């Protein structure tokens, strides 16, 4: 490894550790969901037992009630105070995301900048901690080869249910890439994803998911997300390399734009892919990266401006 790259890697790890530590040391409770996460830790043994009991009557329930998340809370609760458990989750999720993205982007410091700058990334490490943990574990698996990588990715839906969609895209790409061109795969994916959306309420009702009402309804949003990612998606398709990261990003953008008018939780689902999309952009050639980074900064600024501040 060249000396410059070696020092860049060391400084990247140092900043990663500092970012994780700063986020983990925030006040608890502070965010609106903090009390829920404290309850997860405190009552984890009851919640886990309830999940097991319901799964005995309906085995599909185990697929939608995040048992590994409950088990982690239960195990940590035997050793640490609830506030400390939350800090561990925050630190590990932030560090694991930055560590994995560093490996993908050759330790570009723009990775750390966008981690802190983009609402859709940073909020999962200060607000939606369960999703942030799942993103971190998935990305660790994404950067590893073999059975360990598969195992890490496979457990993520048992931490946050939305990762069943993420695994769906990975499995789809693996099964079809040897038989179809990328253009054909994207067309097949559009048809498959569009069909799958309308089966979600039925599947969730079958599994006994507690959020069935969320999946069954739709409330129109501002359409900003649709318009922004329609435009950004066009640039992404034109300028980003067609490597593994870039292809996953293409699927994610298609899924978000395609389902925007049909499912309420599409934005939360799409957040799982934002770190991968950022990594794909940072791996582009110099000219494309300049354009895409500039657009990404504008997008981040618009998102913060339209967010009206976090509601804690």
């Amino acid at each position: 490894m060249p000396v410059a790259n070696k020092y860049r890697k060391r400084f990247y790890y140092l900043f990663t550790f500092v970012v994780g530590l700063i986020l983990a040391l925030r006040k608890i409770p502070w965010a609106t969901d903090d009390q829920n996460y404290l309850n997860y830790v405190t009552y984890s043994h009851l919640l886990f037992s309830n999940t097991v009991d319901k799964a005995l009557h309906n085995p599909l329930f185990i697929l939608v009630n995040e048992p590994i998340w409950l088990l982690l809370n239960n195990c940590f609760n035997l050793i640490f105070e609830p506030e400390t458990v939350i800090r561990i989750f925050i630190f590990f999720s932030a560090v694991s995301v930055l560590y994995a993205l560093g490996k993908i982007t050759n330790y570009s410091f723009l990775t750390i900048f966008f981690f802190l700058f983009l609402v859709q990334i940073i909020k999962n490490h200060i607000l939606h901690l369960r999703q942030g943990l799942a993103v971190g574990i998935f990305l660790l698996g994404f950067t590893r080869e073999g059975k360990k990588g598969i195992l890490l990715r496979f457990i993520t839906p048992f931490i946050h249910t939305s990762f069943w969609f993420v695994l769906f895209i990975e499995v789809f790409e693996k099964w079809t890439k040897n038989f179809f061109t990328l253009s054909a795969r994207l067309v097949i994916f559009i048809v498959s994803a569009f069909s799958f959306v309308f089966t979600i309420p039925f599947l969730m009702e079958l599994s006994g998911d507690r959020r069935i009402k969320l999946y069954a309804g739709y409330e129109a949003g501002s359409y900003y997300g649709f318009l922004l990612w329609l435009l950004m998606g066009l640039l992404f398709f034109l300028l980003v390399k067609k490597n593994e990261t870039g292809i996953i990003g293409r699927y994610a953008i298609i899924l978000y734009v395609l389902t925007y008018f049909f499912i309420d939780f599409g934005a939360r689902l799409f957040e799982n892919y934002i770190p991968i999309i950022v990594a794909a952009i940072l791996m582009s050639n110099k000219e494309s990266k300049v354009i895409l980074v500039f657009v990404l900064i504008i997008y981040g600024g618009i998102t913060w401006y339209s967010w009206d501040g976090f509601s804690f």
Side-chain angles (χ1 to χ4, degrees):
M1 179 184 297
V3 174
N5 286 347
K6 181 172 68 174
Y7 283 112
R8 179 173 64 184
K9 181 178 179 180
R10 289 176 179 176
F11 278 113
Y12 182 92
Y13 284 153
L14 176 62
F15 278 104
T16 292
F17 178 83
V18 170
V19 168
L21 189 62
I22 291 174
L23 294 179
L25 291 178
R26 71 165 174 80
K27 182 180 177 181
I28 297 174
W30 173 61
T32 53
D33 285 347
D34 277 358
Q35 191 57 53
N36 290 333
Y37 289 116
L38 290 171
N39 290 338
Y40 266 121
V41 181
T42 304
Y43 304 109
S44 56
H45 60 293
L46 296 176
L47 294 169
F48 185 74
S49 297
N50 181 61
T51 298
V52 173
D53 290 341
K54 289 187 176 181
L56 292 175
H57 294 89
N58 181 5
L60 293 177
F61 186 72
I62 203 75
L63 301 177
V64 297
N65 208 52
E66 292 112 6
I68 291 182
W69 164 255
L70 297 176
L71 185 60
L72 287 172
N73 278 272
N74 195 14
C75 292
F76 282 131
N77 189 38
L78 298 175
I79 307 172
F80 304 107
E81 293 297 318
E83 292 82 359
T84 304
V85 175
I86 291 179
R87 297 189 194 282
I88 291 172
F89 286 143
I90 294 173
F91 178 81
F92 177 80
S93 67
V95 169
S96 58
V97 168
L98 286 172
Y99 171 80
L101 292 180
K103 293 184 69 174
I104 297 172
T105 63
N106 194 25
Y107 307 100
S108 168
F109 282 89
L110 283 173
T111 301
I112 298 176
F113 169 75
F114 283 118
F115 175 89
L116 297 170
F117 180 66
L118 293 180
V119 173
Q120 291 86 349
I121 296 179
I122 187 62
K123 77 179 190 63
N124 287 331
H125 305 282
I126 56 177
L127 295 178
H128 303 137
L129 309 184
R130 182 164 46 92
Q131 187 171 1
L133 179 64
V135 171
I137 292 175
F138 176 82
L139 288 175
L140 288 178
F142 190 76
T143 57
R144 293 187 70 101
E145 300 288 341
K147 293 181 180 179
K148 289 184 179 179
I150 293 173
L151 177 61
L152 286 171
R153 284 174 285 183
F154 178 74
I155 67 174
T156 53
F158 299 101
I159 297 172
H160 198 273
T161 308
S162 66
F163 276 81
W164 286 120
F165 294 88
V166 179
L167 292 186
F168 168 74
I169 286 180
E170 278 214 290
V171 171
F172 177 87
E173 169 65 10
K174 183 177 181 179
W175 285 358
T176 59
K177 68 179 181 180
N178 293 327
F179 302 99
F180 303 99
T181 64
L182 177 58
S183 298
R185 298 201 303 274
L186 292 175
V187 171
I188 296 170
F189 177 76
I190 290 173
V191 176
S192 302
F194 196 70
S195 302
F196 181 63
V197 164
F198 294 101
T199 68
I200 292 174
F202 169 75
L203 293 174
M204 295 302 100
E205 185 174 11
L206 193 66
S207 65
D209 195 319
R210 64 189 184 279
R211 296 152 295 190
I212 181 62
K213 291 183 179 179
L214 174 65
Y215 300 120
Y218 172 78
E219 183 178 342
S222 65
Y223 308 130
Y224 289 148
F226 175 80
L227 293 174
L228 285 170
W229 278 104
L230 186 63
L231 295 174
M232 289 187 63
L234 291 174
L235 290 174
F236 191 92
F237 272 68
L238 290 172
L239 300 176
V240 171
K241 297 176 182 178
K242 297 176 182 178
N243 52 22
E244 182 181 12
T245 310
I247 290 173
I248 294 295
R250 285 169 168 79
Y251 283 127
I253 294 170
I254 287 175
L255 182 65
Y256 177 60
V257 172
L258 185 69
T259 62
Y260 187 89
F261 298 100
F262 299 100
I263 55 176
D264 277 334
F265 61 94
R268 287 291 299 275
L269 170 63
F270 186 54
E271 290 166 7
N272 297 330
Y273 300 99
I274 299 294
I276 291 178
I277 290 173
V278 170
I281 287 173
L282 297 182
M283 292 169 63
S284 302
N285 60 53
K286 185 176 181 180
E287 292 78 10
S288 297
K289 183 163 69 173
V290 169
I291 296 171
L292 290 166
V293 164
F294 179 72
V295 172
L296 203 57
I297 290 173
I298 294 175
Y299 167 73
I302 292 173
T303 306
W304 276 104
Y305 178 78
S306 63
W307 203 264
D308 293 326
F310 284 126
S311 177
F312 294 121

